[in-house]
Amino acid sequence: TEPGELLNPSRFPASVLARKRAESPLGYAAKHDQRPMPASGNQIRREFFQERYRSTPFQIAATADEVWISADAAKKAKSDSDFHAIHVWARKGARYYLLDRITERMTYPVFERTMDDLHEQWKAWRTGSLIEDTANGTTYLQCRRATTPVLVGFHPSSDTPGKDKSKAARAIYIERAGEAGQIILPCASIARWVEELIATMVGFPFAARDDDVDAASQIIMRWSLAAQNGVSYDAFYAGLGLSSL
């Protein structure tokens, strides 16, 4: 079989598998993906995500210091391709709120429309967009930089501090922020995807997908570095030729 091909569609059609994944992401990973994960997590622990907000994401955005779209871009939409992950994050002081999340395989035209729609949806509050400068992300930066304000390319090899440029090195920033209680996710009644997101996070680095970890780590790393370096957020962004507000 090819990656993504259903083994027994008459018994487990795509609709049934999608429901099972939504009902129990950890159970699905073990039974159907053959990738069992500890319930408590690996590098990123389930206990990091205890606090949930119940306001609407737009209410959070309206009182935030910053709102950023963070996109981990992939290349193609084939069944074995990586997923795109696009997050919307808000910062209030040293607390980080995940407001929205889209993750799926996309062709470039779909990725472009999705990003354009998010820019329109969040334009009243958006501070900027942090987009991995690879694959479809590079194309989007080239196509939209002249018309969309504050598009920032993220380069893993140069923007990750230190000698270790790996995904695990960037995930440390999620780990540290989670341990400090800085990450606040929506409750399940606000976002049906939240349990799937947590399963992806706690399964890292052994889960089948790491797109959510990439999208979250690049923006949390940026905010964390500003705090660790003892500079104001405005000064940090001014150093990038930007304004945080």
Side-chain angles (χ1 to χ4, degrees):
T1 59
E2 296 296 326
E5 182 180 350
L6 299 181
L7 293 177
N8 192 343
S10 62
R11 183 180 179 189
F12 291 110
S15 59
V16 171
L17 293 176
R19 175 173 54 80
K20 287 180 174 290
R21 182 186 292 112
E23 291 172 350
S24 176
L26 286 177
Y28 186 92
K31 183 176 181 180
H32 295 281
D33 285 342
Q34 295 295 292
R35 291 176 180 267
M37 296 178 288
S40 58
N42 294 294
Q43 179 178 352
I44 301 170
R45 311 288 290 178
R46 180 171 290 272
E47 64 202 48
F48 296 165
F49 307 115
Q50 295 300 310
E51 186 173 355
R52 307 295 178 87
Y53 67 81
R54 295 185 178 277
S55 304
T56 70
F58 297 112
Q59 289 172 326
I60 299 289
T63 59
D65 298 313
E66 301 183 71
V67 174
W68 280 74
I69 296 171
S70 181
D72 172 57
K75 186 177 292 185
K76 299 178 180 179
K78 296 172 64 177
S79 61
D80 59 346
S81 298
D82 290 337
F83 281 66
H84 292 70
I86 309 171
H87 290 186
V88 181
W89 285 87
R91 179 184 66 81
K92 288 187 178 185
R95 289 161 68 82
Y96 313 139
Y97 297 77
L98 180 57
L99 305 184
D100 198 4
R101 171 220 188 218
I102 298 171
T103 176
E104 60 183 73
R105 293 185 174 98
M106 304 181 196
T107 61
Y108 176 74
V110 174
F111 176 70
E112 181 181 271
R113 288 196 302 271
T114 302
M115 290 295 295
D116 288 349
D117 288 347
L118 284 173
H119 284 137
E120 179 65 24
Q121 183 179 5
W122 294 94
K123 66 180 180 181
W125 308 282
R126 187 182 71 91
T127 304
S129 298
L130 186 63
I131 303 171
E132 185 182 11
D133 195 355
T134 59
N136 285 342
T138 300
T139 305
Y140 188 81
L141 288 165
Q142 293 171 346
C143 292
R144 289 292 187 266
R145 191 162 257 156
T147 57
T148 304
V150 196
L151 295 186
V152 181
F154 176 76
H155 307 86
S157 60
S158 58
D159 291 341
T160 305
K163 294 182 179 180
D164 187 355
K165 310 294 184 180
S166 67
K167 293 173 182 284
R170 294 192 293 278
I172 288 174
Y173 291 89
I174 300 177
E175 181 182 359
R176 291 173 178 170
E179 286 179 323
Q182 293 176 267
I183 298 176
I184 298 92
L185 301 181
C187 62
S189 62
I190 298 291
R192 297 179 60 184
W193 43 257
V194 69
E195 287 303 321
E196 181 184 44
L197 169 93
I198 293 173
T200 301
M201 291 282 199
V202 302
F204 179 83
F206 305 113
R209 291 160 43 191
D210 54 20
D211 38 279
D212 282 307
V213 173
D214 288 342
S217 64
Q218 63 189 33
I219 185 61
I220 291 176
M221 182 177 72
R222 186 170 290 264
W223 283 333
S224 298
L225 288 174
Q228 290 172 15
N229 292 331
V231 300
S232 69
Y233 288 98
D234 285 341
F236 183 74
Y237 287 102
L240 299 172
L242 305 172
S243 170
S244 67
L245 299 175

